[in-house]
Amino acid sequence: MAPFLPSHPVIKDPMESVRLRRSFGCVSAAPSGSAAILPISWAYIKMMGPKGLRKSAEMAILNANYMARRLETDYKILYKGENGTVAHEFILDVRDFKNDANVEAMDIAKRLQDYGFHAPTVSWPVTGTLMVEPTESEDKQELDRFCDALLAIRKEIDDIQQGVMDKANNPLKVRKRHKCERVVSS
């Protein structure tokens, strides 16, 4: 496998002289990736212990299922289990909004920022979706605040679909400019 290991443009590769070298290039800016990633994970697991890890996983699953239930009448949820539950994350399918409201996953993600939330994972693992992954540390009030924001956004999408709001001039397409943003004219 050594001939296939990633290379790095700055660090001299001892395998460089090997005639069969077939590296696809570098993987990250750091030659060895993020060296702190494993100690951080190890410390978390060690501090939590077996009981803490189990409780943490249970809370993450409970939080995801609570949110999925709150949102399932307004958003299509992909990949539910046989009993209608999700794992520690769930996927909101928003692809249909593109056709009748000109709203895409990225529009919803950016609109969530207007509500003070970091955008969820966009278009992965399914293009045109949002993957919501509430952690075990979020309290019910914060989960509800996030769900309320998504429900308010869904109401805006409904208004666009019904012609109450314009497809191009609405809160999902025309975003407020924050002080740190600058206007670039073409």
Side-chain angles (χ1 to χ4, degrees):
M1 296 302 291
F4 300 97
L5 291 173
S7 64
H8 196 272
V10 177
I11 307 297
K12 177 111 171 98
D13 183 357
M15 294 295 294
E16 192 174 340
S17 61
V18 175
R19 199 168 51 131
L20 298 174
R21 181 77 172 148
R22 293 181 174 177
S23 175
F24 51 83
C26 67
V27 175
S28 68
S32 302
S34 175
I37 195 72
L38 293 178
I40 290 169
S41 303
W42 177 84
Y44 177 78
I45 291 167
K46 191 74 173 163
M47 286 188 294
M48 295 291 284
K51 289 180 182 175
L53 283 176
R54 181 178 178 95
K55 181 71 171 173
S56 174
E58 289 170 348
M59 290 306 299
I61 292 167
L62 181 66
N63 287 349
N65 278 282
Y66 171 74
M67 293 177 72
R69 286 282 193 260
R70 276 209 61 202
L71 298 170
E72 70 184 353
T73 57
D74 293 277
Y75 290 93
K76 182 178 175 186
I77 312 282
L78 296 182
Y79 307 120
K80 290 183 184 179
E82 288 179 18
N83 58 1
T85 58
V86 297
H88 68 286
E89 63 194 16
F90 60 98
I91 299 172
L92 299 174
D93 185 356
V94 298
R95 294 175 288 190
D96 291 341
F97 301 150
K98 173 69 176 156
N99 296 332
D100 52 3
N102 193 33
V103 172
E104 299 182 59
M106 189 60 75
D107 298 321
I108 296 170
K110 288 180 179 181
R111 186 70 173 120
L112 279 167
Q113 291 176 342
D114 293 337
Y115 285 89
F117 292 105
H118 187 278
T121 303
V122 176
S123 291
W124 192 89
V126 179
T127 303
T129 64
L130 298 167
M131 183 172 65
V132 179
E133 189 172 5
T135 66
E136 66 281 356
S137 61
E138 299 296 340
D139 62 23
K140 185 176 179 296
Q141 181 180 355
E142 191 66 3
L143 299 178
D144 283 333
R145 197 170 76 81
F146 187 84
C147 288
D148 291 343
L150 278 170
L151 294 171
I153 292 168
R154 182 63 175 103
K155 171 72 170 92
E156 292 171 349
I157 294 169
D158 285 342
D159 287 346
I160 296 166
Q161 290 170 324
Q162 296 168 8
V164 175
M165 281 198 266
D166 186 75
K167 283 186 177 184
N169 187 13
N170 61 68
L172 287 141
K173 290 294 184 180
V174 180
R175 293 184 23 92
K176 294 181 211 171
R177 205 172 356 175
H178 299 280
K179 290 179 184 178
C180 62
E181 292 180 286
R182 61 187 184 119
V183 177
V184 180
S185 58
S186 48

